[in-house]
């Protein structure tokens, strides 16, 4: 699941860069706006267990930059029926 989230972040940043946005502050603001309210859906695997987990949902309510390269993701996770 971490790989999926990382791929989304990279694709988002590349998309922003292609729009002609070049400064870091604009890219970070675009990333914040794109990811706030997003939902990530996927599956994960477990060590020494066969198969995949049930569907997992991560509803990202809001993200904000704390300092440097540190971001705070306020999210809710749904795993199966929990």
């Amino acid at each position: 699941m971490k790989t999926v989230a990382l791929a989304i972040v990279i694709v988002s940043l590349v998309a922003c860069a292609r729009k002609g946005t070049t400064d870091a502050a604009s890219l970070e603001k675009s990333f914040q706006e794109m990811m706030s309210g997003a939902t990530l859906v996927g599956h994960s695997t477990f060590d020494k267990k066969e198969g995949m987990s049930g569907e997992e949902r991560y509803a990202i309510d809001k993200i904000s930059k704390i300092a440097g390269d540190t971001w705070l993701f306020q999210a809710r996770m749904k795993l199966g029926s929990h």
Side-chain angles (χ1 to χ4, degrees):
M1 197 65 200
K2 290 179 185 176
T3 305
V4 172
L6 180 60
I8 290 171
V9 169
I10 291 169
V11 168
S12 298
L13 290 174
V14 168
C16 289
R18 286 188 179 166
K19 290 180 184 175
T21 307
T22 55
D23 66 292
S26 294
L27 289 172
E28 290 169 355
K29 184 174 170 47
S30 295
F31 172 69
Q32 233 174 331
E33 291 170 356
M34 256 192 288
M35 293 300 289
S36 294
T39 300
L40 307 177
V41 180
H43 299 269
S44 63
T45 59
F46 299 99
D47 286 341
K48 299 182 182 173
K49 256 189 168 179
E50 296 231 3
M52 307 261 305
S53 69
E55 181 180 275
E56 299 173 358
R57 284 186 172 269
Y58 299 87
I60 300 172
D61 295 324
K62 178 183 174 184
I63 68 166
S64 50
K65 187 170 184 178
I66 303 295
D69 290 336
T70 304
W71 291 79
L72 174 65
F73 284 70
Q74 296 172 334
R76 292 170 283 123
M77 179 183 165
K78 183 175 181 185
L79 176 60
S81 61
H82 301 293

